[in-house]
Amino acid sequence: MPSARPSFTRAELESYRDAEVPDLLPGPGQELHLLFVGINPGLWTAATQTHFAHPGNRFYPALLRAGVLTQAVDPAAGMTDEDREHLRERGIGITNLVRRATARADELTADELREGGERLLATIARTRPAVVAVAGITAYRQAFGVRKAQTGEQPEPVEGARLWVVPNPSGLNAHETVESLAVAYAEPAGAAGLLD
């Protein structure tokens, strides 16, 4: 179990601005079935070195509700080694379009997002996931120059992987719920063979 949830001051969180969080990818001999792509790390994520870690983020609860994960993950204090291994064993990876941490995704520049899209293509080519799910339609449109893209499966695969754009699980995306996110995340997870 993770330690008690930390309490960061605003100044402490700000000290993590521009920090990076390493990708979570399967290890040797483990397949990558589904690669989730966030926009960029938030400050809480950078502080705990754990993707989607902010207590208000609905990513892990939605994955559990969808049946993508088989055990609850509370990453707010930092993901445990057991939690990381659970994702790896399930064939789930996590990366970001942009590596640097900010308080809000709207602090990123259009150039950063375009460069992030190019880097993501290289990551997909290297890691060869079956399915990729980008969490955030606006960031996806900017990163890949597809202004009219809609959420859901995209018409063309990328680097051999089927591609979905799914809603962002941030608490700032207020019109989404754990339930609606679970439905959206179940689609790429099912395509990746992760649902019974």
Side-chain angles (χ1 to χ4, degrees), residues 3-134:
S3 59
R5 181 173 290 175
S7 176
F8 296 110
T9 66
R10 173 50 55 188
E12 286 170 337
L13 287 174
E14 283 295 331
S15 74
Y16 290 97
R17 186 172 288 277
D18 299 325
E20 295 186 5
V21 178
D23 293 344
L24 176 64
L25 296 169
Q30 294 176 317
E31 292 185 49
L32 180 57
H33 301 296
L34 176 57
L35 179 63
F36 277 103
V37 183
I39 300 170
N40 75 307
L43 300 180
W44 196 292
T45 285
T48 60
Q49 290 290 288
T50 299
H51 296 277
F52 299 108
H54 191 279
N57 195 294
R58 283 97 29 108
F59 181 71
Y60 298 101
L63 291 183
L64 185 64
R65 178 81 53 91
V68 180
L69 296 180
T70 58
Q71 64 188 44
V73 172
D74 179 5
M79 196 179 279
T80 65
D81 290 342
E82 180 184 349
D83 290 335
R84 286 187 175 87
E85 193 53 33
H86 178 60
L87 267 72
R88 290 185 177 113
E89 286 174 354
R90 299 278 298 152
I92 298 168
I94 305 174
T95 188
N96 287 294
L97 281 169
V98 177
R99 294 196 174 280
R100 77 177 183 97
T102 60
R104 295 173 55 108
D106 61 11
E107 296 174 38
L108 302 173
T109 68
D111 284 345
E112 283 181 293
L113 287 165
R114 278 192 297 274
E115 290 166 12
E118 292 172 10
R119 187 173 45 254
L120 176 61
L121 292 177
T123 298
I124 295 168
R126 177 175 48 83
T127 60
R128 311 214 39 86
V131 175
V132 175
V134 178

